[in-house]
Amino acid sequence: MPSKKFIHLLYAPTNFCNMGCKYCYLGTGTDQKNKASQTVSTLEHAVQQFLNEDIIPFNLSFHGGEPTSIPPQQLAELFEFSKNYYAEFGAQIKQAGYPLNPIHIKTNLFNFDRIYALCDDYQVSISGSVDLPLFLHEKYRTDKRGRSTLAQIRKNLKLLADYPHHKKISCVVTQEHLNHLDEFIADIKHIHYDIGLDMSKFNIMFSFDSDKNSEKFAQENEQSSMLTQEQQLYFYQRLSSEFTGTELEQGLKEHWFKEFTPEFCCSAVNCGDKFFLLQSNGDVYSCPRGQSSRQFFYGNLYKQPITDIIANGWQVIESIENRLQADQECFSCSYLPYCNQGCVFVRQQTGLTKSYTCLLQKALYKDNPERYPAYDETYIKQYAANYKYKNSIQSFKENQIETVKPRYITPELYADSNALTSLIAADEVLQTIYSDTLFSLQVDGVDYALTSPVLHNSNDLALLNKHASVILKVREDIFNLHSKDPVNNCIHLMLLRNTMVTYGDEGREKQEHIVDYSLYKNSFELLSENKDGWYLFDLRPFLQQHQALFLPDVRNNLYFTTKTLREYHYSKQKKNAFYHIQAINLPFPYLEFYWAE
């Protein structure tokens, strides 16, 4: 059987929008209504075509235009289709390592009061677009006839605050919005504290100049033009200063500027490999932005095989990337693997040679060094070369390109200095991760040594049951090992079962993960006995709680580590390819056992 491909699918049931926002990158693209007869059938047809080719959308989201401008009955049919789709394919999506998201809709909130009950019935996740400060919403987010929508939006913001399912709002920042930063901050607080809508999930976006917008608004958009990078950085720093230390600080750090982090499509090496936008006439484009330009058109599913359209996606993006000029500074930047020069559509529209939010992104990375550590010069040199081969071939100097690429594994892998034992010997934290002196298990009075399966080809095998005494022994200094914040460190257990499943894009068949269990320092100490430099923690309740998951004659594996050591392992994998290749499986001390009734 061919391995499955998972994609992110956005569906625009209509390109029409009931608003006429002055900075909209779609311009006149939101003026014309689609054929209503195709609204539901196109999505049904598309998803079936995907499934026939083992292509599984792991996320279905409704975008536009304005998706709520279609008749409510059609919207209900789309929600029902999505509900049934997730019910049927949710297990495969989760098994592949993707989160199972709720039905999601991006809306300008103008019609939210009319569809509230429908969204509630299907527990739809709502992402609403507004302008902050709100008095600029009245100026920029008008209806098609230029009339204010603010009163309706205020009413629906209050309604959204009481909506019992996932919800958030987003806004676009332009030159004029920046000129009213005090009011912008005040309205964040007003919406959060007075209206009662949780602003911790707030999303901020920045306008950018686009061809379609210029065609429609011409000279009207001078004040709504895009910010300079220095202005974006000032905006971020001002919000950080204002909200650090408040209950919205975590939202500021995790969500407000999330669009400019590697988690989003705009930072992908090639977004055309996984992200697709489908219109109701069958046209497939790169994304909501790209649907305004025929250059970002991948094909029509009523006219071409879906496999050709999917294959065309990455080729279109790669072709556009290679026509754009690139800033040479990017290829020596220690953060290149995080941004990959940013959104190709924005660079194509604006003529910029790097991400239009470059300075902002660097600030975000530097403010979160544990999550986004800078890469070293050697890694960046190799990464940049590989990146340029695909996306910026013209950036190579003459005679730099090899016409025949090697088709064998690099001989560096076999160098003694890159052997796993050498990598561990050179890294104090890795020595701790692989240590066999941190944990042990005592089963009915018998001690079991816990060692790393990566370094040892033999191990103990235990037979457990609900009556067995199982005591985890943990070294007393465990929470302080390589941790700057011991109280935020925890013991982490991972329970796996030898029922094989396929995980991730690589399609590897691996043991099935059953349970992850974490207990933080203070809690672990409270529930443990401290004796002779060891914590003694009773594992029997944990095992009994999950005994229904233990199958007859099937082996189970129980791994032990700490939050800090686990994070370091994955960070090391990310930074060091030689370590990643040789430590591709879980390296932590473990016990293998059978469960008997």
Side-chain angles (χ1 to χ4, degrees):
M1 291 291 293
S3 59
K4 292 180 172 60
K5 180 179 179 64
F6 291 82
I7 65 168
H8 187 292
L9 182 63
L10 291 168
Y11 182 50
T14 179
N15 292 342
F16 177 77
C17 181
N18 47 14
M19 285 190 179
C21 304
K22 299 292 178 62
Y23 46 74
C24 179
Y25 49 75
L26 296 179
T28 57
T30 66
D31 294 343
Q32 189 172 357
K33 294 186 177 182
N34 300 66
K35 291 182 180 179
S37 59
Q38 290 183 280
T39 301
V40 179
S41 60
T42 294
L43 179 62
E44 294 173 339
H45 176 70
V47 171
Q48 189 57 56
Q49 294 301 307
F50 286 131
L51 296 176
N52 289 346
E53 301 296 337
D54 276 327
I55 301 169
I56 299 181
F58 64 83
N59 191 66
L60 291 177
S61 297
F62 298 102
H63 215 285
E66 174 50 43
T68 69
S69 62
I70 65 175
Q73 178 57 38
Q74 290 184 345
L75 195 59
E77 291 179 38
L78 292 175
F79 290 168
E80 181 69 16
F81 175 83
S82 300
K83 174 186 173 183
N84 295 333
Y85 174 81
Y86 281 136
E88 184 174 356
F89 294 96
Q92 291 188 47
I93 291 169
K94 291 193 290 185
Q95 188 180 91
Y98 297 100
L100 187 59
N101 295 317
I103 302 169
H104 182 77
I105 190 167
K106 180 74 172 178
T107 172
N108 58 31
L109 289 179
F110 190 80
N111 292 329
F112 183 57
D113 54 334
R114 305 177 198 174
I115 63 166
Y116 181 99
L118 176 62
C119 292
D120 188 22
D121 286 344
Y122 285 92
Q123 301 180 23
V124 175
S125 168
I126 305 294
S127 177
S129 299
V130 300
D131 259 9
L132 297 184
L134 289 170
F135 77 84
L136 286 182
H137 187 107
E138 188 162 32
K139 176 178 180 179
Y140 284 108
R141 297 181 73 85
T142 64
D143 67 11
K144 290 294 190 188
R145 296 169 61 183
R147 297 174 300 185
S148 172
T149 64
L150 182 57
Q152 177 73 358
I153 297 304
R154 280 188 175 277
K155 181 179 73 173
N156 283 341
L157 280 174
K158 294 178 181 179
L159 199 59
L160 187 63
D162 294 329
Y163 183 67
H165 311 294
H166 183 272
K167 70 284 185 102
K168 65 179 180 179
I169 64 170
S170 62
C171 78
V172 175
V173 177
T174 71
Q175 285 287 343
E176 188 165 7
H177 296 76
L178 183 68
N179 294 336
H180 301 281
L181 194 45
D182 288 339
E183 295 93 331
F184 187 99
I185 291 169
D187 273 352
I188 291 178
K189 297 176 180 178
H190 168 64
I191 293 172
H192 184 74
Y193 294 108
D194 300 333
I195 293 179
L197 178 60
D198 182 7
M199 291 293 280
S200 61
K201 299 292 178 67
F202 181 43
N203 283 143
I204 293 171
M205 298 169 283
F206 294 104
S207 70
F208 55 87
D209 301 336
S210 70
D211 295 339
K212 283 289 186 180
N213 181 272
S214 298
E215 288 174 10
K216 182 174 182 178
F217 294 106
Q219 300 303 316
E220 295 181 40
N221 63 354
E222 290 184 7
Q223 289 183 302
S224 63
S225 60
M226 61 192 292
L227 276 64
T228 66
Q229 292 198 31
E230 290 76 15
Q231 289 172 323
Q232 293 170 358
L233 182 60
Y234 169 74
F235 177 83
Y236 164 69
Q237 292 170 338
R238 179 69 187 282
L239 263 61
S240 296
S241 175
E242 184 70 33
F243 290 99
T244 298
T246 72
E247 64 182 74
L248 290 174
E249 178 180 358
Q250 199 62 28
L252 166 75
K253 290 181 176 180
E254 291 188 13
H255 296 285
W256 290 11
F257 295 91
K258 194 171 185 178
E259 182 171 328
F260 313 107
T261 63
E263 288 84 355
F264 262 63
C265 56
C266 51
S267 293
V269 174
N270 187 319
C271 60
D273 183 53
K274 189 172 289 184
F275 301 91
F276 302 88
L277 178 132
L278 170 68
Q279 294 182 341
S280 62
N281 65 352
D283 284 348
V284 179
Y285 285 86
S286 60
C287 61
R289 295 173 174 178
Q291 65 181 323
S292 67
S293 171
R294 203 65 177 174
Q295 293 185 60
F296 290 81
F297 173 68
Y298 296 166
N300 184 287
L301 58 84
Y302 288 118
K303 300 176 182 178
Q304 298 160 265
I306 199 72
T307 50
D308 289 354
I309 295 173
I310 294 294
N312 197 37
W314 68 266
Q315 295 179 61
V316 166
I317 297 300
E318 184 175 289
S319 174
I320 294 172
E321 287 271 18
N322 275 291
R323 292 199 300 270
L324 298 178
Q325 290 295 320
D327 194 316
Q328 289 298 318
E329 182 185 359
C330 293
F331 302 128
S332 59
C333 175
S334 55
Y335 297 114
L336 175 62
Y338 294 133
C339 85
N340 296 295
Q341 296 187 292
C343 177
V344 61
F345 176 79
V346 176
R347 283 187 284 124
Q348 192 265 354
Q349 293 282 296
T350 61
L352 295 173
T353 58
K354 60 168 65 174
S355 171
Y356 77 120
T357 55
C358 177
L359 289 182
L360 169 67
Q361 288 173 269
K362 288 180 178 178
L364 292 172
Y365 305 147
K366 291 175 182 177
D367 287 349
N368 295 274
E370 292 187 359
R371 191 173 186 183
Y372 306 115
Y375 288 89
D376 62 46
E377 183 178 349
T378 302
Y379 180 84
I380 291 299
K381 184 177 180 180
Q382 183 60 49
Y383 185 92
N386 292 333
Y387 176 86
K388 288 192 287 186
Y389 265 125
K390 296 178 180 179
N391 294 324
S392 192
I393 199 75
Q394 62 182 309
S395 296
F396 283 106
K397 296 178 182 178
E398 189 176 356
N399 300 323
Q400 271 191 319
I401 302 176
E402 298 179 11
T403 56
V404 179
K405 300 178 185 177
R407 298 182 181 275
Y408 50 84
I409 296 176
T410 173
E412 297 165 277
L413 180 61
Y414 306 107
D416 291 342
S417 60
N418 291 323
L420 181 60
T421 51
S422 298
L423 297 174
I424 294 173
D427 190 317
E428 184 181 357
V429 185
L430 288 184
Q431 293 169 29
T432 305
I433 290 173
Y434 288 83
S435 172
D436 57 5
T437 66
L438 300 181
F439 303 93
S440 69
L441 272 182
Q442 192 176 78
V443 180
D444 291 332
V446 178
D447 287 324
Y448 286 78
L450 303 182
T451 58
S452 168
V454 175
L455 294 184
H456 299 80
N457 57 14
S458 63
N459 62 280
D460 287 330
L461 180 63
L463 183 64
L464 306 181
N465 59 53
K466 62 183 178 181
H467 303 296
S469 169
V470 184
I471 303 298
L472 173 63
K473 299 173 68 175
V474 180
R475 212 169 75 186
E476 188 180 45
D477 62 344
I478 188 75
F479 295 103
N480 297 306
L481 295 176
H482 310 292
S483 175
K484 297 178 181 179
D485 187 13
V487 74
N488 195 37
N489 203 359
C490 64
I491 298 295
H492 189 74
L493 282 66
M494 290 161 282
L495 180 60
L496 288 78
R497 186 176 64 197
N498 200 35
T499 47
M500 307 305 286
V501 293
T502 302
Y503 284 102
D505 287 349
E506 59 200 6
R508 293 182 65 219
E509 191 174 63
K510 303 195 297 183
Q511 284 192 338
E512 187 174 11
H513 285 254
I514 304 299
V515 176
D516 276 9
Y517 177 73
S518 297
L519 201 58
Y520 283 81
K521 177 180 184 293
N522 291 343
S523 301
F524 187 84
E525 291 176 348
L526 182 65
L527 297 176
S528 302
E529 177 186 358
N530 193 321
K531 185 177 180 180
D532 299 328
W534 293 83
Y535 291 116
L536 306 182
F537 180 78
D538 188 1
L539 272 181
R540 180 157 53 182
F542 170 81
L543 294 169
Q544 290 177 343
Q545 181 183 3
H546 299 97
Q547 61 182 325
L549 302 175
F550 304 139
L551 304 178
D553 301 319
V554 174
R555 292 192 183 195
N556 307 281
N557 287 322
L558 191 55
Y559 290 81
F560 303 88
T561 187
T562 67
K563 173 186 175 184
T564 302
L565 296 178
R566 183 173 182 268
E567 290 175 346
Y568 188 89
H569 162 71
Y570 287 111
S571 173
K572 187 75 172 182
Q573 278 191 336
K574 194 172 185 179
K575 293 187 291 186
N576 191 308
F578 301 114
Y579 177 76
H580 196 163
I581 291 171
Q582 297 171 87
I584 195 169
N585 293 318
L586 293 177
F588 312 112
Y590 82 123
L591 176 76
E592 194 167 29
F593 68 92
Y594 285 106
W595 185 265
E597 291 297 331

